[in-house]
Each structure stands twice: as structure tokens, then as C-alpha cells.
Amino acid sequence: VAAMLVVCNHAGLLALKFLEIPETPSSSTVWNLARFGAFGVDIFFVISGYLITRLILGELDAGRFTFARFYGRRARRLFPAMFATLAATFVAGVFVLSPLHLEELSLSLVHTLFSISNVLFWQLSGYFDIGSEMKPLLHTWSLGVEEQFYLVWPVSVFLAFRFRRRRGVLALVVAVCLASLVAAEIAAGRAPDAAFFLTPFRMCELALGGLCLWLESTTTIRSWRRELLTLLGLALIAYATHAYGAGHRFPGLAAMVPCGGAALVIVGGRGRVAGALLANRLAVGIGLISYSLYLVHWPLFVLVR
């Protein structure tokens, strides 16, 4: 779901720019429909926070967590596809891009390798302002956020676990979620580019995913309640898909609607009936290639255009 929301969002916005349809009150419905997947990345962050926290906490409980094993797994999972995409994008850019855009591509490629492309794009511009549709690696900002999360989160969870075991980790997750949410809501109004690109303002979404672990483990959820939670979560995502437009600030409180929906789907997703909506072959197949799909789609859109 998250992967397809992002791909459709980017395809729609680039199509409108290519067709030179101005953003006016009369065309607002069309632009809002194109924007409908903008929060797919927010859902990604919730899922990532859940998976990473579950992995770390499970190994801490078993007494076999090591930083070397954790970062080794992350490198094997993320780097091969990312390096291949960066190399292919640069080679294609040599033949397609103007010298100015190729220079910018080279700069963003180096920042992506060091997991700080989100900082670069924050310094350069907003997400879809003038020239952004000519940046083949613009989408790597979210990878920078995730990789920065991978640097600080394992250490934080490890120290909290050593201090108060699972209670310490729960206190950490709740504190980070609330502090980041308040900071994101304030920054979204005063410094929207910083709120969008920088990791501290996205930690609330990642921490919300981690909080799903306790919602799963401390609450007895009957099967019919799981069905209800899953359907409610999907309904929240669907609502944001159709209701959100240019007037909604991200991240912050507005992002908690689709993010909360993702959290409900995670907690209730084992329901037999509603869970089948996300467990069919098509959905599972897209999920298995979601990382590669995310990596490749934006450079293709930009270079083809």
C-alpha cells in the first residue's frame, strides 16, 4: 500500500507538471488527487519503526543482540540495491541531463552515499518547488532519514533496555514519539522544509511503529476486534488519501491520521478476513519488491521526462 501510494503520487504530480496544468482553485481537485499518496512515506516510517524495534528488542530479550550483527544485516539488505540504482542513475544522467543538472546529481549522489541527502535537499529547496522534478535522487531523502534512525535507535533502545528492561524501552518510545510530534507540529508551521526533510521531526512516525509492539503484546485482541482494527486502519488511510491536499501540513498531527491507520493495520493485521486484503498474492508481491520499486521509480520518471 505504502509503495503504491508513493509511486502514484510521484507519477501524478510529474504528469501534471509535464502537461503544464497550473495549480488554481479550479484545478485543485485534480492536484489533490495527484497528491493523494504523499503520505506513503509516512506509512513506510511506521512500518520501519515497528520492524526495527521488534528486531532489536527480540534479540535483547534473547541475549544475542550485537551491533555488528544488526548493522551487517542492514548493509546486506539495503546497500546492494541502492548502489546499483545510484550507479545506473549516474550513467544514464551522463547521457540525459544537462551539465548543471548532472553536477547536482553528482552532489546528491555523494550525500546519498553518506546517508545525508535529506539534509542536502533541505538546504537546497522544498520537495516539489521549481526544478525538483529534475532531481533524480530527490526521493533518497527518506532513505537518509531511515539510515540516521538506524544509527541512533539501536543504541538508544540498548541503553534503555539495560536500564529498565522493556519498561525502559517503552518509556523511550513514548517520550520520543510525543517530543517529536510536538516539535514536528511546531516546525510544520514555522519551518516546513526542515519539518519535512529532517529526522528529528520524523521520529514520531518511527516511534509510533515501535509502540505497536506493546499494543500487540499487552492487549488481548479477539479475532473480531482484529478485523475491526484492520478495517478501521485501512479506512483512516483511505480517508487521508481522498481528503488531504495542499492545505495539510506534514509531518505533525495531520500525519497521525494515515500513520495511526498504519499502526492499527499492524496491530490488527492478523485478522482472517480483513487481513486477507493485505495477504493476497498481488499485495505480497508488491511488498516483497517495495524497496527496489521505491529506489527505481523516481529516477526513471525524472530521466524519461
Side-chain angles (χ1 to χ4, degrees):
V1 173
M4 294 311 299
L5 285 173
V6 173
V7 172
C8 291
N9 165 240
H10 287 163
L13 287 171
L14 282 181
L16 290 174
K17 285 180 175 288
F18 181 74
L19 296 173
E20 298 183 351
I21 297 177
E23 188 170 3
T24 62
S26 62
S27 67
S28 60
T29 300
V30 176
W31 275 90
N32 282 351
L33 287 174
R35 284 194 181 93
F36 79 91
F39 54 80
V41 173
D42 303 80
I43 296 175
F44 266 128
F45 289 151
V46 175
I47 298 170
S48 182
Y50 168 73
L51 294 175
I52 294 303
T53 306
R54 185 181 68 175
L55 172 66
I56 297 171
L57 202 54
E59 293 195 344
L60 285 171
D61 282 333
R64 52 187 176 86
F65 173 80
T66 66
F67 291 104
R69 182 185 295 115
F70 175 83
Y71 289 115
R73 272 196 304 257
R74 291 294 91 199
R76 290 190 296 272
R77 167 74 175 84
L78 301 177
F79 288 167
M82 184 177 72
F83 291 158
T85 301
L86 294 179
T89 301
F90 182 77
V91 171
V94 169
F95 294 97
V96 173
L97 298 177
S98 69
L100 178 62
H101 289 133
L102 183 60
E103 181 180 352
E104 188 174 61
L105 171 62
S106 302
L107 181 64
S108 59
L109 190 151
V110 172
H111 281 73
T112 301
L113 288 173
F114 287 95
S115 302
I116 53 174
S117 62
N118 60 322
V119 178
L120 172 69
F121 292 125
W122 163 59
Q123 293 173 335
L124 291 179
S125 66
Y127 191 45
F128 265 108
D129 61 3
I130 297 174
S132 295
E133 70 272 17
M134 295 302 294
K135 299 175 181 177
L137 297 180
L138 178 61
H139 67 316
T140 62
W141 73 268
S142 63
L143 303 182
V145 170
E146 288 224 24
E147 287 156 8
Q148 290 158 26
F149 170 71
Y150 295 153
L151 287 177
V152 301
W153 198 242
V155 177
S156 302
V157 172
F158 176 80
L159 293 176
F161 188 84
R162 291 289 298 270
F163 179 62
R164 291 289 300 273
R165 310 295 290 182
R166 277 183 168 258
R167 289 184 179 180
V169 179
L170 176 58
L172 169 71
V173 171
V174 172
V176 169
C177 187
L178 293 176
S180 175
L181 180 59
V182 171
E185 182 64 18
I186 294 172
R190 300 180 180 179
D193 287 346
F196 188 94
F197 283 111
L198 300 185
T199 303
F201 306 112
R202 295 287 183 169
M203 289 296 292
C204 52
E205 300 169 1
L206 292 152
L208 177 62
L211 190 59
C212 292
L213 285 172
W214 280 267
L215 297 177
E216 282 184 327
S217 61
T218 61
T219 306
T220 301
I221 304 178
R222 296 182 179 179
S223 58
W224 68 269
R225 290 176 180 170
R226 290 189 180 275
E227 307 286 357
L228 184 60
L229 288 175
T230 303
L231 292 175
L232 178 58
L234 292 174
L236 288 175
I237 295 173
Y239 166 77
T241 294
H242 294 286
Y244 280 15
H248 290 83
R249 303 182 309 193
F250 273 77
L253 291 174
M256 289 297 104
V257 173
C259 288
L264 290 176
V265 172
I266 290 173
V267 174
R270 297 193 185 101
R272 181 177 300 176
V273 178
L277 296 172
L278 302 174
N280 59 78
R281 287 187 176 183
L282 178 61
V284 171
I286 294 174
L288 290 174
I289 65 168
S290 60
Y291 176 60
S292 298
L293 180 64
Y294 182 80
L295 280 175
V296 170
H297 83 281
W298 180 253
L300 280 177
F301 288 167
V302 171
L303 294 172
V304 168
R305 181 175 187 274

